[in-house]
Amino acid sequence: MTNQTVNQINEQFETYFGAPARAFAELTISHVEALVNTQVEASKVYTELSLQQVRKALEIKQPQDVQGYIQGQQDVAKELTERFKGDAEKVVALNRQFAEEAQKLTQQNVQAASKAAGSAK
């Protein structure tokens, strides 16, 4: 094999396999990073909310304090429900965006391969 042939093979490999694989890997890493950041943020919020509730429970000193605490629990439950919903919507949006970008990458790679196959004829 000549150097020109080896260079051509390397170039084709990079064009049809290397570059698309790296692009998809970068997209995947970015997606995973966004998901992890979302989970870390949610964990911080849920942890802080839980600790606040424990602190409030420790402030109960009289029977009437219990009623206030229980009423506060309803507000916390509502806040958690809204937070869960928002977090779920954020994850769905991230997954949708990932799927769209992955599809776009795939289409670009198929078009490039088709174009190359057409010019090779």
Side-chain angles (χ1 to χ4, degrees):
M1 261 196 241
T2 66
N3 281 343
Q4 183 180 6
T5 304
V6 170
N7 289 341
Q8 185 179 7
I9 291 170
N10 286 339
E11 184 179 309
Q12 288 176 345
F13 180 82
E14 174 62 24
T15 301
Y16 299 117
F17 300 106
R22 271 193 303 285
F24 189 74
E26 288 175 16
L27 176 63
T28 302
I29 289 169
S30 176
H31 176 66
V32 169
E33 181 180 26
L35 286 174
V36 168
N37 287 338
T38 299
Q39 290 177 331
V40 168
E41 179 186 326
S43 294
K44 286 180 181 179
V45 169
Y46 300 141
T47 300
E48 183 58 35
L49 193 56
S50 297
L51 291 173
Q52 286 174 1
Q53 294 313 300
V54 171
R55 287 184 191 109
K56 287 181 182 178
L58 291 174
E59 293 173 0
I60 297 174
K61 303 222 186 316
Q62 299 177 359
Q64 60 266 27
D65 294 341
V66 174
Q67 183 179 2
Y69 178 77
I70 291 172
Q71 288 173 345
Q73 291 300 303
Q74 292 171 352
D75 294 336
V76 170
K78 181 180 177 184
E79 182 180 343
L80 277 174
T81 300
E82 290 172 7
R83 179 68 193 205
F84 285 143
K85 181 181 174 191
D87 289 341
E89 288 170 353
K90 190 181 291 187
V91 169
V92 167
L94 286 171
N95 288 336
R96 184 178 302 124
Q97 180 183 4
F98 174 76
E100 289 169 0
E101 290 178 16
Q103 183 178 15
K104 194 182 325 178
L105 270 176
T106 302
Q107 288 172 345
Q108 290 170 350
N109 292 328
V110 167
Q111 288 173 352
S114 295
K115 183 177 177 182
S119 65
K121 289 182 182 179

